[in-house]
């Protein structure tokens, strides 16, 4: 049952599917694992017949996400990548997509591989560069892809403005809203047509499900994408949907706490003399700060920063950490740290990484909901490990090579 439009995001998330069980009155919705459903009689299909095409548990999650994003309907997929793949199916052979040059590495790889196979035409541009964006839009893309804040450098672009420009050229606008979730940003209300999530991240929030979702503003686009999701078999599993729906109920409290911790950690990082630069849209000096303030209701909890020094210093910094886990992914309750160049963006060539601003001394942090003082102490421990190691390397000088 779609949520009442008047309800706030916290209520929609908590109440999704609550008390919908008419058989026993279960408070939380049951998990339907059955792969198939009987027909009521000859040629009498019920609402569900086969779980790839439709499943009651998955449907609840899809509707909840659509209600949270303000869209017509939501399609739950097996991963964030399959959600992006589903949106690509809207393109006919050779049609053009315009994507940010610093989008998530998996998105970059998918679009590039499709273009190399001749299935689509592709332009990667720095969407913060107005002139480059205007030139690229004049080529009349069918889809404009937006990821804001972007991964890993947290560049922010104006969804409303790009949507207006894209519409003038007849393009659809799709926004990857993974980094903020609908709690902090609602792209469909800013003019986008499609929202994509890796629900693996904040939506599920507990690092125990890989999943994705597409939310479409209009019925036709929803139906087209749902058709392709069924046709290609990328719809999400029932158990994953059940867990994700459970995670979703606490989305608001989680992301508020994540963001509060992130803001304190940023304060610490910006004042640290071993930090070259901090990327966080909540900082007044961040180039996208004003746009973020306008279009987001929170700055999120992804931070990137550059350590003063080389990759060796980064390695010893990481070896000193005891609380942060060195891992890809983000958005779980636990704090993670990653080295984008060799981890999340390893599929992007070093030349393309350079263009996107990804360097060897860059680290990306997904701030969890632990006690923030423990997180700050841990980062401090990293620096305390890195500094003597760097001094030792300097003292021993260049390694002698014997012939
Ligand atoms: N979009 C963004 C912004 C991501 O960070 C990721 C994964 O890290 C994806 C999409 C892909 O999601 P998944 O790993 O669930 O396929």
């Amino acid at each position: 049952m779609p949520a009442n439009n008047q309800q706030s995001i916290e209520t929609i998330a908590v109440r999704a599917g609550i008390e919908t069980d008419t058989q026993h009155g279960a408070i939380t919705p049951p998990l339907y694992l059955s792969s198939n459903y009987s027909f009521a009689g000859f040629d009498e299909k019920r609402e569900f017949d086969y779980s790839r095409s439709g499943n009651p548990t998955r449907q609840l999650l899809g509707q909840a996400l659509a209600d949270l994003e303000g869209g017509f309907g939501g399609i739950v997929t097996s991963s964030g990548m399959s959600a992006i793949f589903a949106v690509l199916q809207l393109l006919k052979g050779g049609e053009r997509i315009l994507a940010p040059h610093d989008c998530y590495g998996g998105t970059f790889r998918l679009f590039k591989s499709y273009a190399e196979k001749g299935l689509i035409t592709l332009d990667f541009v720095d969407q913060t560069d107005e002139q480059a964006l205007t030139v690229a839009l004049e080529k009349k893309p069918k889809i404009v892809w937006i990821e804001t804040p972007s991964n890993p450098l947290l560049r922010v672009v104006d969804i409303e403005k790009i949507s207006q420009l894209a519409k003038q050229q007849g393009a659809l606008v799709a926004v990857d809203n993974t980094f903020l979730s609908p709690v902090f940003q609602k792209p469909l209300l800013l003019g986008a047509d499609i929202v994509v999530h890796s629900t693996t991240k904040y939506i599920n929030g507990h690092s125990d499900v890989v999943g994705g979702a597409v939310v479409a503003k209009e019925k036709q686009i929803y139906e087209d994408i749902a058709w392709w999701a069924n046709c290609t078999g990328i719809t999400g599993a029932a158990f994953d949907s059940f867990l994700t729906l459970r995670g979703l109920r606490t989305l608001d409290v989680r992301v508020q706490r994540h963001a509060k911790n992130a803001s304190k950690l940023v304060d610490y990082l910006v004042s640290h003399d071993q930090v070259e630069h901090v990327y966080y849209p909540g900082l007044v000096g961040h180039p996208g700060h004003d746009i973020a303030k306008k279009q987001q209701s929170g700055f999120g909890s992804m931070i990137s920063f550059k350590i003063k020094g080389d990759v060796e210093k980064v390695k010893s910094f990481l070896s000193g950490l005891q609380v942060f886990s060195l891992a890809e992914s983000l958005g779980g309750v636990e704090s993670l740290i990653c080295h984008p160049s060799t981890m999340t963006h390893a599929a992007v060539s070093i030349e393309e990484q350079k263009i996107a601003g990804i360097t060897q001394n860059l680290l990306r942090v997904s701030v969890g909901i632990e006690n923030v003082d423990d997180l700050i102490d841990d980062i401090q421990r990293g620096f305390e490990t890195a500094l003597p190691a760097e001094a030792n390397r300097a003292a021993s000088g260049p390694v002698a090579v014997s012939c």
Side-chain angles (χ1 to χ4, degrees):
M1 194 199 309
N4 170 345
N5 280 341
Q6 308 302 317
Q7 284 178 350
S8 61
I9 208 153
E10 301 94 313
T11 309
I12 295 173
V14 170
R15 303 288 314 178
I18 295 286
E19 238 194 294
T20 49
D21 170 36
T22 48
Q23 197 177 2
H24 300 295
I27 292 295
T28 54
L31 161 59
Y32 288 90
L33 285 172
S34 187
S35 58
N36 48 352
Y37 298 82
S38 67
F39 277 54
F42 181 78
D43 203 18
E44 285 180 57
K45 186 171 109 54
R46 300 181 210 256
E47 186 179 359
F48 300 100
D49 58 352
Y50 189 55
S51 268
R52 167 161 42 77
S53 328
N55 170 281
T57 312
R58 190 170 69 229
Q59 180 169 292
L60 279 181
L61 175 61
Q63 189 58 54
L65 291 171
D67 292 339
L68 290 171
E69 290 284 2
F72 173 81
I75 301 118
V76 174
T77 58
S78 56
S79 68
M81 283 319 302
S82 59
I84 297 167
F85 173 80
V87 176
L88 266 190
Q89 306 314 309
L90 293 176
L91 295 178
K92 295 199 186 81
E95 280 184 335
R96 188 177 285 274
I97 186 162
L98 190 168
H101 70 317
D102 60 343
C103 56
Y104 165 62
T107 310
F108 188 93
R109 176 175 54 193
L110 174 65
F111 290 172
K112 207 167 167 227
S113 307
Y114 251 52
E116 280 166 5
K117 279 180 102 176
L119 299 174
I120 58 167
T121 310
L122 172 68
D123 290 306
F124 282 123
V125 292
D126 177 353
Q127 295 180 347
T128 61
D129 177 342
E130 282 193 30
Q131 211 195 334
L133 183 66
T134 309
V135 171
L137 282 169
E138 278 163 7
K139 295 188 205 163
K140 297 215 174 289
K142 176 80 191 294
I143 294 178
V144 174
W145 193 268
I146 295 176
E147 195 185 300
T148 178
S150 70
N151 183 1
L153 287 172
L154 290 314
R155 288 199 179 92
V156 174
V157 294
D158 190 327
I159 299 174
E160 193 169 19
K161 196 164 156 196
I162 297 182
S163 298
Q164 277 167 6
L165 295 171
K167 294 283 150 61
Q168 285 165 15
Q169 302 295 344
L172 289 173
V173 175
V175 179
D176 186 330
N177 204 22
T178 299
F179 267 35
L180 289 178
S181 91
V183 173
F184 287 148
Q185 181 168 270
K186 292 201 175 197
L188 299 184
L189 306 190
L190 296 167
D193 304 284
I194 297 166
V195 162
V196 165
H197 278 284
S198 165
T199 56
T200 316
K201 314 295 176 346
Y202 293 100
I203 300 281
N204 177 56
H206 295 77
S207 303
D208 49 12
V209 176
V210 172
V214 183
V215 175
K217 194 169 179 176
E218 304 295 342
K219 184 168 184 263
Q220 187 58 54
I221 298 177
Y222 164 75
E223 286 176 350
D224 285 353
I225 295 176
W227 188 91
W228 275 107
N230 177 47
C231 172
T232 53
I234 56 167
T235 46
F239 190 59
D240 290 351
S241 301
F242 176 82
L243 284 178
T244 306
L245 197 57
R246 184 167 74 162
L248 184 73
R249 300 191 194 289
T250 54
L251 178 69
D252 186 79
V253 282
R254 280 187 286 108
V255 298
Q256 302 293 354
R257 170 66 177 260
H258 279 289
K260 203 169 151 198
N261 280 359
S263 156
K264 287 194 178 153
L265 187 58
V266 164
D267 288 346
Y268 168 81
L269 287 170
V270 290
S271 61
H272 202 290
D273 64 359
Q274 292 303 309
V275 174
E276 183 183 302
H277 195 82
V278 180
Y279 300 83
Y280 183 65
L283 285 170
V284 178
H286 184 285
H289 178 70
D290 289 341
I291 302 170
K293 247 174 53 184
K294 184 182 71 159
Q295 74 186 10
Q296 302 173 197
S297 53
F299 294 116
S301 43
M302 295 303 297
I303 304 169
S304 289
F305 66 100
K306 283 183 179 165
I307 283 184
K308 276 186 193 160
D310 58 10
V311 75
E312 290 308 318
K313 183 153 170 198
V314 167
K315 280 188 208 165
S316 36
F317 169 85
L318 291 171
S319 72
L321 302 179
Q322 291 172 11
V323 179
F324 282 86
S325 301
L326 178 64
E328 297 188 355
S329 200
L330 58 113
V333 290
E334 71 292 341
S335 292
L336 305 177
I337 191 158
C338 93
H339 183 240
S341 177
T342 53
M343 295 170 73
T344 50
H345 289 64
V348 181
S349 71
I350 292 291
E351 290 70 40
E352 286 160 330
Q353 285 187 18
K354 264 191 202 144
I355 295 169
I358 300 168
T359 54
Q360 290 303 310
N361 60 344
L362 179 75
L363 289 167
R364 188 195 76 180
V365 174
S366 169
V367 185
I369 63 171
E370 302 94 338
N371 184 304
V372 70
D373 293 333
D374 292 335
L375 299 180
I376 291 172
D377 286 351
D378 204 40
I379 295 286
Q380 179 65 30
R381 205 165 15 242
F383 284 121
E384 280 164 9
T385 312
L387 278 173
E390 187 183 41
N392 281 343
R393 278 197 306 277
S396 58
V399 180
V401 181
S402 55
C403 319

